[in-house]
Amino acid sequence: MKVTLKLAVFLALGFFVAGCTTAPEAPVEGLSGILAAHVEKGEILYGHQDDLSYGHTWKVEDWAADSLTRSDVKAVTGMYPAIVGFDLGGIELGDRANLDGVDFGLIRKAAMLHAERGGIVTFSWHLRNPLTGGDAWDVSSDQVVKSILEGGELHGLFMDTWLKRMGDFLESLEGTPVIFRPWHENSGSWFWWGKDLCTAQEYKDLFRTTWTYLTETRGIKNLLWCYSPNSGVSADVYMDRWPGDDIVDLMGVDHYENVGPDGFGPSGERFVAELRRCLTFVEGFAKEHGKLMCLSETGLEGLPDPAWWTGVLYPAIKDFPVAYVLTWRNAWDRPGHFYAAWDGFENAADFRAFSELDDIVFLKP
Ligand code: BMA
């Protein structure tokens, strides 16, 4: 059975019904209710990064004129992903396009359209390194987080320019509910906000500063906040930098399968074992703190395993109350860098079978 998301209808109804009785339901509460309702039914929403902007061999050229109906996922399954992810890296500099060359105008249009179609949107942020001028992966200094916090030499730049630009973009979405997932994979040390690059207190201050500015100073209330460390860490390390029950709504984890020297078979077993280990403690924390949980990023680059979806990913997640799972992007300009099947690829049959499972949710066009 394929289930269609009904977010737009649900929200519209929420506004209508509530409008006749009490205060209107905030869109973000509607979104959280939608996610909770799917979890309650034992369903998992499927998500794909950048799904409407480009695919394995194509990209949207004239976004203002394009109806944004193309999707690698839809070409294989007949349905859009329920969740579409976008990355806002570059918004802080006032760039026209993000770090992967996707115009922010296209991101805005695609995000709003996907929500109108009944889908859910999530944003990550691979922002530049404000201290060195390098990218998000520039870990040459462990002073970067400190420098943008209160008292740091770049605090003014961060608040008045970088966060302001983020706020301006989020405001331009006119209330579209969004799962916002900044400062991700912070339990590793490959981003400048990672574990060895700042103290736990600095990380928490960074998350809270971001939340306070966007939510309170700017009054942007359409965000569900997601905390998403990476896998490969202990439960203690996962929670060590928890920003706080009052500002986080969703507990995520990013976990990828890497093809090892023995190929994907043995590595598939490792992938499943590690994912289950992480989801087990995340489930415990989510229950304890009253939060939803998700597999915020996952995938096997290039999908060399023809049965990865039903043979590896699905058995690993099916017994956990994960609201959604999001596979990473299908880069149009890097032939091997894709995480969802595309039309004609040998893994497509298994991806279609995954999309037809009773408890996996895609979005019908
Ligand atoms: C990474 C890769 C990069 C990309 C970045 C942000 O995992 O896909 O090519 O720039 O995500 O989307």
Side-chain angles (χ1 to χ4, degrees), residues 49-50 87 99-100 126 137 256 297 328-329 334 337:
Q49 184 74 3
D50 278 347
D87 197 274
L99 75 166
D100 300 317
H126 286 84
W137 293 266
Y256 284 85
E297 278 184 41
W328 206 240
R329 65 198 196 102
R334 284 168 62 189
H337 193 55

Side-chain angles (χ1 to χ4, degrees), residues 5-15 115-116 118:
L5 275 173
K6 295 283 186 222
L7 178 62
V9 176
F10 184 96
L11 290 176
L13 202 66
F15 282 127
E116 274 165 33

Side-chain angles (χ1 to χ4, degrees), residues 49 86-102 104 107 123-128 136-137 166:
Q49 184 74 3
F86 300 94
D87 197 274
L88 302 184
I91 201 81
E92 71 283 357
L93 300 182
D95 288 351
R96 182 189 54 80
N98 81 354
L99 75 166
D100 300 317
V102 187
F104 286 112
I107 293 178
F123 290 152
S124 50
W125 191 18
H126 286 84
L127 71 170
R128 304 278 295 191
W137 293 266
M166 172 60 86

Side-chain angles (χ1 to χ4, degrees), residues 173-226:
L173 295 168
E174 298 169 8
T176 302
V178 168
I179 297 168
F180 188 51
R181 191 172 66 89
W183 315 123
H184 67 303
E185 296 179 9
N186 59 299
S187 50
S189 297
W190 45 85
F191 294 131
W192 56 256
W193 55 89
K195 180 168 163 291
D196 296 341
L197 288 308
C198 59
T199 65
Q201 192 55 52
E202 284 166 353
Y203 178 82
K204 291 190 227 181
D205 289 347
L206 178 64
F207 206 106
R208 189 166 289 273
T209 300
T210 309
W211 183 91
T212 303
Y213 174 78
L214 292 174
T215 308
E216 291 182 346
T217 310
R218 296 295 293 267
I220 299 170
K221 309 282 190 192
N222 49 310
L223 309 179
L224 268 194
W225 289 72
C226 180

